[in-house]
Amino acid sequence: MGTSVLSLRMDRDLLERLRRRAAERGMSVQDYVVRTLIREDFDERFQAAVDETEKFYGSPGAGAARPLVSPADTDTGIR
């Protein structure tokens, strides 16, 4: 698998918050950002799959509002 470079310009305060959060997890800022993006992408794809399944099979409890799947509901194994 090849790699590419993504350069970001961000506010100093945001970078400091990212550094603190990454340090709390023993990670570099780069690893923390990449893993966050991967997790977000997984959550969106998972929700889309749930929505498609419900369209195909019908929504459980027809007429009842269902909560959206939150990141806390899915364990991606990324820490």
Side-chain angles (χ1 to χ4, degrees):
M1 174 172 38
T3 62
S4 297
V5 174
L6 172 66
S7 177
L8 299 171
R9 183 178 303 266
M10 67 179 67
D11 179 84
R12 182 178 296 133
D13 293 336
L14 174 58
L15 181 57
E16 285 306 313
R17 285 197 333 252
L18 288 172
R19 282 183 178 141
R20 280 194 304 271
R21 289 177 183 249
E24 288 171 359
R25 292 162 178 78
M27 303 168 72
S28 70
V29 172
Q30 177 180 331
D31 288 342
Y32 178 77
V33 170
V34 168
R35 288 178 181 263
T36 300
L37 291 171
I38 290 169
R39 184 179 63 237
E40 182 68 24
D41 181 59
F42 172 83
D43 292 341
E44 288 177 10
R45 288 183 290 129
F46 181 79
Q47 185 62 53
V50 169
D51 293 344
E52 285 299 313
T53 300
E54 287 181 353
K55 280 187 217 174
F56 184 76
Y57 290 107
S59 181
R66 68 169 179 79
L68 291 175
V69 175
S70 72
D73 296 335
T74 61
D75 184 13
T76 61
I78 298 172
R79 300 278 184 253

